[in-house]
Amino acid sequence: VSALMETIGSGAVTAPFTAAADSDCIIVIGARPTENHPVAATYLKQATKRGACLIVIDPRGYALTRHADHFLQFKPGTDVALLNAVMHTIIEEKIADQNYISKHTQDFGLLEAKVKNFSPEKMEEVCVVSANTIRTISRIYAKSKRSIIFWGMGISQHVHGTDNARCLISLALLTGQIGRAG
């Protein structure tokens, strides 16, 4: 776990794509593994065959969306708004991992205040994703015992790349989805 925690905030991954084999919920955002990492895509497809929920978040459709339980085709450039709406839902519905937050994070109140005005209903028009869909995927991710996020250069190589990465890290920390298999 200590080696894993050292990768947060660095350019290294916190989990390999093989971790999909142990995951109950998989989010893919800012990556196109079927086109760019076919071996990784095989692990994701196999996970869905065994029952893992696959959530693909991408402005454009691609081959992996055929295997997704949920495909959020959001308006390009609204990544941060969409991810803030997900965190808003998790906090508002009290499905965040408060135990993990109190033991392993700091400044939770700042995050809570930051996402307060990003309700799914307000972000529906901004992101062009229904509030119901945002709430549904938020609940699935937060309530799954083992959720994982795979992201690629579509997140980091973006005008809002740092903010995108911070949102995804905050989402994982908010739900305690760090430091264990899957």
Side-chain angles (χ1 to χ4, degrees):
V1 173
S2 63
L4 172 96
M5 299 308 276
E6 290 173 11
T7 63
I8 295 177
S10 74
V13 298
T14 55
F17 58 82
T18 55
D22 297 319
S23 298
D24 301 313
C25 173
I26 302 163
I27 291 179
V28 177
I29 182 170
R32 294 172 166 256
T34 47
E35 287 79 7
N36 300 319
H37 303 287
V39 173
T42 300
Y43 281 89
L44 301 174
K45 292 174 195 176
Q46 289 173 347
T48 64
K49 286 180 182 173
R50 86 165 154 73
C53 178
L54 176 62
I55 300 167
V56 176
I57 304 173
D58 195 280
R60 301 174 292 168
Y62 63 100
L64 190 61
T65 61
R66 290 192 322 244
H67 302 275
D69 295 279
H70 300 278
F71 171 43
L72 284 68
Q73 191 169 12
F74 67 97
K75 181 179 176 183
T78 64
D79 316 54
V80 171
L82 178 59
L83 295 169
N84 280 344
V86 170
M87 288 187 284
H88 169 96
T89 300
I90 291 168
I91 293 168
E92 176 193 61
E93 295 188 4
K94 299 184 184 348
I95 52 177
D97 186 336
Q98 291 298 331
N99 185 45
Y100 187 89
I101 291 167
S102 67
K103 289 182 179 177
H104 302 288
T105 70
Q106 54 188 327
D107 298 328
F108 171 71
L110 295 175
L111 176 68
E112 187 175 27
K114 177 75 174 174
V115 301
K116 186 175 179 83
N117 293 322
F118 286 86
S119 73
E121 291 72 24
K122 287 182 182 176
M123 294 304 106
E124 182 173 49
E125 188 175 318
V126 173
C127 303
V128 194
V129 174
S130 77
N132 184 52
T133 299
I134 294 170
R135 288 190 181 281
T136 298
I137 65 108
S138 301
R139 292 175 189 131
I140 293 168
Y141 177 79
K143 292 179 178 182
S144 291
K145 183 177 179 183
R146 300 169 302 177
S147 293
I148 195 163
I149 303 169
F150 290 104
W151 80 70
M153 293 224 188
I155 288 297
S156 56
Q157 302 297 316
H158 189 281
V159 68
H160 300 289
T162 300
D163 293 331
N164 289 341
R166 285 181 178 157
C167 284
L168 292 169
I169 291 165
S170 293
L171 179 58
L173 292 170
L174 180 65
T175 55
Q177 299 289 2
I178 292 197
R180 59 182 192 271

